[in-house]
Amino acid sequence: MDEIEKVLKTHEVRPTAIRLLMYKFLKERNSAVTLNDIESGFDKSERTTLYRTIKTFEKNGLVHQIDDGTGVAKYALDEPEVGIGNSQDLHLHFHCTNCNETICLTDHKIPHISLPKGFVTQDMNLVLKGICDKCNES
Amino acid sequence: MDEIEKVLKTHEVRPTAIRLLMYKFLKERNSAVTLNDIESGFDKSERTTLYRTIKTFEKNGLVHQIDDGTGVAKYALDEPEVGIGNSQDLHLHFHCTNCNETICLTDHKIPHISLPKGFVTQDMNLVLKGICDKCNES
DNA sequence: AAGTTAATGCACTTAAGTTGCATAAATTTC
DNA sequence: GAAATTTATGCAACTTAAGTGCATTAACTT
Ligand SMILES: [Mn+2]
Ligand SMILES: [Mn+2]
Ligand SMILES: [Zn+2]
Ligand SMILES: [Zn+2]
């Protein structure tokens, strides 16, 4: 718990009770969560606070938002930054149409795409949809 | 106009007045449109009807929906199918963060990605974000 | 401890998407 | 071509996620 406190402080997020709980919650998950997931996962839960908390996490580089095409935003913890550059956003995501879970494939980077003249790329989002490993083995 | 009528009929969409107008509207655009765009582009406009019309188009393979990460669905005409296979969905989209327009890059296919064992891909969505050619030259 | 700043809780708002149902239009059957 | 049937349209209402305003509470600073 003291470990988490350190992480938050490093990112200039003041470690309140709810924030520590939410970080812990996110850490225990291995798939991305919606705001509803978070809300359900808490006894004490106030939509707005949880919303603002996850937004604070996002702004301060603790989580990244994932748009998997389902229409609701999902969030997942950032990988602990090794270097300084923000290579966080460039991995791809897999959304299982069976179990509805979305996971980060952090070691699968988005391949480089050469665009027509005049286009400048700042960001990318690649989502693969299909059946995940868990759903396939059962 | 008679040309459009043919296209609709080919896709088993009955060519009503509104449908012909909407198809024409989509054809004149070179960027993807939201339901609001469509609504604004019509004198006579009924949200629900336009909504159901675009959904009918989608279901019958006349348009495809694009999720560019802005949170609102956009739609663009499908390319006239040459073969039978549905290679429609595999091109990428570019979303300009300056003019907010999203365009289909129909000749830029999404590169093949090899996933960990157990994952089966059925569909993909790749969106590049940045500054478009028009916004760069001005 | 007092003062200051930030976080939380609650109510309320916005916006996109979607459905139910009555009416109108188009298509089919006779 | 009229009646019957199917489909499309218009209007109202609902759902869900996201976001804001503001008073209260907690945390941090001096
Ligand atoms: Mn991720
Ligand atoms: Mn497209
Ligand atoms: Zn699954
Ligand atoms: Zn642009």
Side-chain angles (χ1 to χ4, degrees):
Chain A
M1 203 62 153
D2 202 36
E3 186 58 39
I4 293 178
E5 207 169 319
K6 252 186 241 169
V7 177
L8 296 198
K9 280 181 176 168
T10 305
H11 289 260
E12 293 177 357
V13 173
R14 295 153 87 167
T16 67
I18 290 181
R19 287 170 176 179
L20 291 169
L21 282 171
M22 189 186 289
Y23 194 93
K24 192 154 163 283
F25 179 78
L26 293 168
K27 208 174 167 186
E28 285 163 356
R29 292 273 180 149
N30 48 1
S31 59
V33 298
T34 66
L35 191 59
N36 272 340
D37 293 335
I38 298 173
E39 209 180 348
S40 310
F42 278 68
D43 302 330
K44 181 174 176 295
S45 67
E46 202 53 40
R47 273 199 76 74
T48 317
T49 302
L50 299 177
Y51 169 74
R52 283 196 260 233
T53 299
I54 199 77
K55 284 301 175 189
T56 299
F57 281 9
E58 189 186 6
K59 186 154 55 79
N60 292 55
L62 287 167
V63 305
H64 60 286
Q65 184 177 339
I66 301 161
D67 176 12
D68 64 5
T70 55
V72 303
K74 294 183 179 175
Y75 302 89
L77 279 188
D78 283 1
E79 293 291 300
E81 331 182 18
V82 187
I84 295 187
N86 189 7
S87 64
Q88 190 67 43
D89 333 38
L90 294 170
H91 63 271
L92 63 91
H93 295 107
F94 187 92
H95 174 244
C96 178
T97 53
N98 184 244
C99 65
N100 198 35
E101 294 204 345
T102 297
I103 60 170
C104 297
L105 297 172
T106 46
D107 46 352
H108 284 69
K109 304 304 178 190
I110 302 178
H112 176 259
I113 310 278
S114 62
L115 287 183
K117 206 189 316 183
F119 289 86
V120 176
T121 305
Q122 295 166 337
D123 193 13
M124 336 175 126
N125 182 34
L126 173 57
V127 179
L128 304 195
K129 296 169 211 285
I131 309 296
C132 75
D133 52 349
K134 286 179 190 168
C135 287
N136 261 325
E137 74 187 17
S138 52
Chain B
M1 202 65 156
D2 202 38
E3 186 57 39
I4 293 177
E5 206 168 321
K6 251 185 242 169
V7 178
L8 296 199
K9 280 180 177 167
T10 305
H11 290 259
E12 291 178 357
V13 173
R14 294 151 89 167
T16 66
I18 289 181
R19 288 170 175 179
L20 291 168
L21 282 171
M22 188 185 290
Y23 194 92
K24 194 156 162 280
F25 179 78
L26 292 168
K27 207 174 168 187
E28 285 164 356
R29 292 269 179 151
N30 49 359
S31 59
V33 297
T34 65
L35 190 60
N36 273 339
D37 292 336
I38 298 173
E39 211 179 347
S40 310
F42 279 68
D43 301 330
K44 181 173 175 298
S45 67
E46 202 52 41
R47 268 198 81 75
T48 318
T49 304
L50 299 177
Y51 169 76
R52 282 195 262 231
T53 300
I54 199 77
K55 283 301 174 189
T56 300
F57 281 9
E58 190 186 6
K59 186 156 53 79
N60 292 54
L62 287 167
V63 305
H64 60 286
Q65 183 176 340
I66 301 161
D67 176 11
D68 64 5
T70 57
V72 302
K74 293 183 179 174
Y75 302 88
L77 279 188
D78 283 1
E79 293 291 300
E81 332 182 17
V82 186
I84 294 187
N86 189 8
S87 64
Q88 191 67 43
D89 333 39
L90 293 170
H91 63 271
L92 63 91
H93 295 106
F94 187 92
H95 174 245
C96 179
T97 52
N98 183 244
C99 65
N100 199 34
E101 294 204 344
T102 296
I103 60 170
C104 296
L105 296 173
T106 46
D107 46 353
H108 284 70
K109 305 303 178 193
I110 301 177
H112 177 260
I113 310 278
S114 62
L115 288 183
K117 204 189 316 182
F119 289 86
V120 176
T121 305
Q122 294 167 338
D123 193 14
M124 336 174 125
N125 182 35
L126 173 57
V127 179
L128 303 195
K129 296 169 212 286
I131 309 297
C132 75
D133 52 348
K134 286 179 189 168
C135 286
N136 262 325
E137 74 186 18
S138 50

